[in-house]
């Protein structure tokens, strides 16, 4: 039986509107990194204010950190969380080659979105006092196609795709341990080791992708991510650095 990681707290709820919202309400009471897991989430949200739907049996949790760091360094925790999330899936499911990472913060299973990450920060200016890492994972159900953004492909879930059942509380313990592993790495050895491992699992690396920034589309070869975690595309107009975008894959 895997034990809970030292130095982290956890809160388990029957129901809440959103684990990120719950974290904000409780934020002054946290003295150490704290995970909040809920069995039912009624008003979750994803990137750019999109709804994050949570059918019964799926996973919704938020990790609250107090990094006291720059916004740039805090944002790199998205890659830490992505690697931890992918690793947790592989530990429970095997099938390592089927789980890929999609920039900036999705996990794919056999090409479909199985999990996503949302970062929210609290602070003044460039200083981040509190960082919320919200994670949603489709363990037993997938949202309907018409209910989701399809930039990461059709939604998939673990039960239907792999025939496995993972209790959310067990997944949380695995995820929390893996997050500590990768967070220790970035703190002790810097972002480069995280970037290298992230790229080794990246979907569509060295292939053509489309980055949508507002109403504009930038098409190019996905070559790298830089020290800030920005996407590096080789386009017909030269190398483009993209800090934030929705990424779409071309049909094969």
């Amino acid at each position: 039986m895997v034990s809970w990681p030292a130095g982290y707290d956890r809160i388990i709820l029957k129901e809440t509107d959103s684990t990120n919202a719950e974290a904000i309400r409780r934020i002054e009471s946290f003295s150490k990194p704290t995970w909040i897991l809920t069995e039912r989430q009624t008003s979750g949200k994803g990137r750019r204010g999109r709804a994050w739907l949570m059918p019964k049996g799926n996973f919704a949790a938020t990790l609250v950190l107090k990094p006291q760091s720059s916004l740039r360094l805090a944002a790199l925790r998205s890659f830490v969380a992505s690697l931890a999330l992918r690793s947790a899936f592989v530990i429970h499911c095997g099938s390592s080659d089927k789980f890929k990472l999609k920039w900036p913060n999705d996990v794919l299973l056999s090409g479909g979105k199985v999990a996503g990450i949302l970062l929210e920060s609290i602070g003044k200016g460039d200083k981040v006092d509190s960082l919320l890492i919200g994670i949603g994972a489709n363990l037993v159900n997938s949202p309907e196609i018409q209910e989701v953004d399809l930039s990461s492909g059709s939604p998939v879930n673990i039960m239907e795709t792999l025939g496995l059942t993972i209790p959310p509380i067990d997944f949380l313990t695995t995820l929390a341990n893996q997050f500590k592993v990768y967070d220790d790495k970035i703190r002790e050895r810097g972002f480069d080791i995280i970037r290298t491992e992230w790229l080794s699992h990246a979907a569509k690396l060295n292939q053509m992708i489309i980055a949508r920034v507002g109403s504009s589309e930038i098409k190019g070869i996905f070559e790298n991510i830089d020290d800030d975690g920005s996407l590096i595309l080789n386009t017909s107009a030269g190398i483009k650095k993209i800090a934030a975008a929705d990424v779409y894959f071309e049909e094969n």
Side-chain angles (χ1 to χ4, degrees):
M1 183 70 177
V2 178
S3 60
W4 186 253
Y8 288 73
D9 279 341
R10 63 178 172 180
I11 297 168
I12 311 298
L13 304 172
K14 286 289 185 183
E15 180 178 313
T16 189
D17 52 350
S18 155
T19 54
N20 273 29
E22 188 72 35
I24 291 171
R25 288 191 289 268
R26 297 175 182 237
I27 206 150
E28 296 301 325
S29 67
F30 298 143
S31 60
K32 62 178 67 174
T34 301
W35 285 91
I36 300 175
L37 173 73
T38 187
E39 294 179 14
R40 184 169 183 267
Q41 181 172 256
T42 59
S43 300
K45 65 178 181 178
R47 295 181 67 241
R48 304 186 189 280
R50 300 184 182 110
W52 180 272
L53 303 174
M54 185 192 172
K56 185 178 179 181
N58 279 356
F59 180 89
T62 294
L63 172 61
V64 182
L65 302 174
K66 300 288 186 73
Q68 303 296 313
S69 70
S70 68
L71 188 59
R72 170 189 168 273
L73 291 177
L76 295 179
R77 288 303 201 286
S78 173
F79 296 94
V80 171
S82 295
L83 284 169
L85 185 53
R86 179 190 176 277
S87 182
F89 278 124
V90 172
I91 288 169
H92 282 280
C93 305
S95 303
S96 177
D97 59 322
K98 295 183 178 181
F99 289 98
K100 298 293 183 181
L101 299 174
K102 177 176 176 286
W103 187 91
N105 49 20
D106 290 340
V107 179
L108 307 182
L109 168 59
S110 300
K113 182 174 177 177
V114 71
I117 298 167
L118 173 68
L119 266 63
E120 294 188 87
S121 61
I122 300 172
K124 293 182 179 180
D126 187 50
K127 183 181 179 182
V128 175
D129 297 315
S130 298
L131 181 68
L132 281 58
I133 305 176
I135 296 175
N138 301 331
L139 298 183
V140 300
N141 286 293
S142 308
E144 296 295 328
I145 289 179
Q146 64 269 21
E147 297 174 329
V148 298
D149 166 58
L150 291 178
S151 63
S152 294
S154 300
V156 298
N157 67 74
I158 296 298
M159 180 180 286
E160 291 180 1
T161 306
L162 299 178
L164 300 172
T165 300
I166 309 173
I169 188 65
D170 293 348
F171 191 73
L172 175 66
T173 301
T174 305
L175 175 59
N177 275 282
Q178 291 305 300
F179 184 90
K180 185 177 188 304
V181 168
Y182 286 105
D183 200 50
D184 286 349
K185 283 185 180 181
I186 196 172
R187 287 189 294 103
E188 295 168 4
R189 302 173 64 182
F191 180 60
D192 195 54
I193 188 172
I194 296 297
R195 173 175 57 187
T196 298
E197 185 167 350
W198 191 96
L199 286 168
S200 74
H201 302 302
K204 303 295 184 179
L205 185 65
N206 298 318
Q207 297 182 47
M208 188 71 70
I209 64 173
I210 299 168
R212 292 183 181 171
V213 183
S215 59
S216 300
E217 285 193 354
I218 302 172
K219 185 175 181 179
I221 301 296
F222 171 23
E223 289 196 342
N224 206 345
I225 56 175
D226 70 4
D227 290 343
D228 295 325
S230 295
L231 182 69
I232 304 300
L233 291 187
N234 189 345
T235 76
S236 59
I239 299 296
K240 298 289 185 182
K241 172 181 173 178
I242 301 169
D246 288 322
V247 168
Y248 292 78
F249 297 153
E250 289 196 309
E251 296 292 336
N252 293 324

